[in-house]
């Protein structure tokens, strides 16, 4: 059983960055790619649970988990043990050519969370979210014999050529990199807080469906569309939850036209939303189904070890032997970390203070955080919206007339950091709260107190 570090209150840092942090950041700025972003000065030295200590000895509460990756926190003993054991056996053979039991059993375990009676799924393993997305799109094209892909505005799918083409969140990901993949179109994402297409919060799901059907009449022949790829809860675009009727209606639209439905669960999946996959919040509700044909996962799957997966219905995974592969994909050490992560997510191994499973903890502590943040809206009118599910939570900052306030968001993010809370922005004016799923209610309360204090300082 794990012993958790006691909740503590980080102190206000008035002299950030510390000298060691500053020195490393200076070397970093000299030698690393000019494309890396540095939202605030932080250089980690070691971590324990939900706490990260920097090279100058400042201990920070982690509310972003390396962009929704560190599911089990930092240096979780169960994950560390699994990795150590596998490293002493073998670290690489190449899954494309030889099976290895640890990845076979990982695939068996992952499909159990999506398979329905009479339906079998298969898994392709890669190393990153973008690779899972590439695999999904290649499979959809190969299976359907069609080429067109529809994605959404606000989406993020990764940095490879296919993935940046699909991405619709910021032009900086594409500027200067063209030409991109042909035959890709973007449609609005049904954001209930800022409904597109002149719709309302309640009608924006149907409005997007009508918009796509309109495109099929005017611009894109439906029988040339291989797939629609969408994040069931949009991450980088602003931590947005679509209206409940939308994904089932999108499933029906795909069925009507023989189009593959791909759910990109890279950010919201693996228990973060309180269910294994975020689409499962909508599947089976009111008798409506929205099971996709293909799912991509990465990030939270292995507590930070690099592995990703593309899951597809057996009837869809028809590409021939040798048509796709990866030298490192499904690496056994990363697979061991994924098994250990799943042990904790499913509750096969318990983490003390986190109920029956980390998935349950994500749902319960996430609900607590959301309720507290909604209560804070009364004190801070510039918090325009609080939304999410489980520990996938977005906080949108607005101007007095309701427009996104990115400047205020940036100031809030820095004020939180200075008080010891690691956080990350997304969308135009959103702070995402995506802590490790081992976060207890007490630790969550500590983080919320820091947020409140930082927001008061802004006023
Ligand atoms: C939804 C989604 N898909 C794909 C990716 C790309 O993942 P990676 O950076 O591992 O390639 C991300 C990364 O943020 C993501 O959020």
């Amino acid at each position: 059983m794990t012993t958790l570090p006691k909740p503590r209150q980080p102190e206000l840092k008035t002299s950030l960055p510390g000298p060691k942090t500053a020195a490393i950041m200076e070397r970093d700025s000299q030698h690393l790619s000019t494309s890396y972003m540095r939202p605030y000065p932080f250089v980690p030295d070691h971590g324990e649970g939900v706490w990260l200590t920097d090279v100058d000895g400042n201990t920070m509460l982690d509310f972003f988990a390396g962009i929704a990756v560190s599911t089990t926190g930092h240096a979780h003993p169960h994950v560390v043990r699994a990795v150590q054991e596998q490293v002493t056996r073998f670290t690489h053979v190449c899954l494309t050519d030889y099976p290895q039991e640890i990845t076979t059993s990982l695939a068996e375990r992952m499909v159990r969370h999506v398979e329905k009676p009479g339906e079998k799924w298969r898994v392709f393993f890669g190393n990153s979210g973008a690779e899972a997305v590439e695999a999904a799109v290649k499979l959809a094209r190969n299976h359907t014999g069609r080429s067109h892909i529809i994605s959404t505005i606000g989406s993020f799918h990764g940095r490879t050529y296919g993935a940046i083409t699909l991405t619709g969140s910021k032009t900086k990901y594409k500027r200067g990199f063209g030409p991109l993949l042909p035959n890709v179109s973007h449609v609005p994402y049904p954001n209930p807080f800022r409904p597109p297409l002149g719709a309302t919060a309640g009608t924006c799901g149907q409005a997007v469906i009508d918009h796509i059907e309109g495109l099929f009449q005017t611009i894109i022949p439906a029988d040339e569309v291989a797939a629609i790829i969408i994040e069931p809860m949009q991450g980088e675009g602003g931590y947005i939850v679509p209206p409940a009727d939308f994904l089932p209606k999108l499933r029906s639209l795909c069925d009507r036209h023989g189009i593959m439905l791909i759910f990109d669960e890279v950010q919201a999946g693996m228990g973060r939303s309180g269910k294994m996959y975020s689409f499962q919040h909508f599947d089976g509700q009111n008798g409506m189904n929205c099971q996709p044909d293909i799912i991509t996962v990465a990030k939270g799957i292995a507590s930070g070890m690099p592995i990703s997966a593309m899951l597809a219905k057996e009837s869809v995974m028809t590409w021939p032997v040798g048509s796709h592969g990866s030298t490192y994909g499904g690496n056994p050490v990363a697979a061991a970390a994924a098994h250990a992560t799943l042990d904790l997510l499913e509750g096969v191994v318990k983490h003390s203070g986190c109920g029956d499973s980390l998935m349950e903890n994500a749902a319960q502590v996430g609900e607590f955080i959301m309720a507290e943040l909604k209560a804070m809206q009364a004190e801070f009118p510039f918090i325009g919206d609080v939304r999410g599910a489980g520990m996938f939570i977005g906080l949108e900052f607005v101007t007095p007339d309701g427009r996104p306030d990115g400047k205020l968001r940036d100031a809030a993010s820095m004020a939180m950091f200075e008080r010891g809370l690691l956080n990350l922005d997304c969308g135009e004016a959103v702070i995402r709260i995506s802590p490790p799923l081992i976060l207890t209610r007490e630790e969550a309360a500590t983080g919320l107190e820091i947020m409140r204090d930082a927001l008061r300082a802004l006023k």
Side-chain angles (χ1 to χ4, degrees), residues 67-69 127-133 155-160 163 167 229-237 239 264-268 296 298-299 307-308 392 432:
I67 320 189
V69 168
N127 303 280
S128 66
E131 282 175 68
V133 167
S155 64
F156 186 83
H157 296 290
R159 309 283 195 150
T160 51
T167 290
I229 181 165
I230 188 163
E231 295 158 87
M233 293 186 186
Q234 202 176 62
E236 162 80 12
Y239 271 41
D264 184 344
E265 291 272 1
V266 166
Q267 188 145 175
T296 56
K299 288 196 187 286
I307 185 168
S308 65
F392 180 95
R432 62 183 118 188

Side-chain angles (χ1 to χ4, degrees), residues 77 195 279 293 300-301 326 369 419 431 436 449:
F279 81 86
D293 301 294
I301 182 174
S326 163
I369 298 174
R419 286 161 177 75
I431 286 183
E449 203 40 55

Side-chain angles (χ1 to χ4, degrees), residues 268-340:
M270 299 313 292
R272 173 148 303 280
S273 72
K275 294 191 188 282
M276 185 56 82
Y277 299 112
S278 63
F279 81 86
Q280 290 167 331
H281 286 273
F282 311 105
D283 190 36
Q285 299 299 315
N286 307 319
M288 289 194 292
N289 149 48
C290 65
Q291 215 202 20
D293 301 294
I294 301 174
I295 299 172
T296 56
V297 286
K299 288 196 187 286
I301 182 174
S303 299
M305 292 296 284
I307 185 168
S308 65
M310 184 271 287
L311 291 71
K313 285 178 181 160
E314 181 169 66
S315 56
V316 170
M317 202 179 274
T318 49
W319 51 15
V321 172
S323 57
H324 195 57
S326 163
T327 299
Y328 295 114
N331 170 273
V333 183
H339 270 294

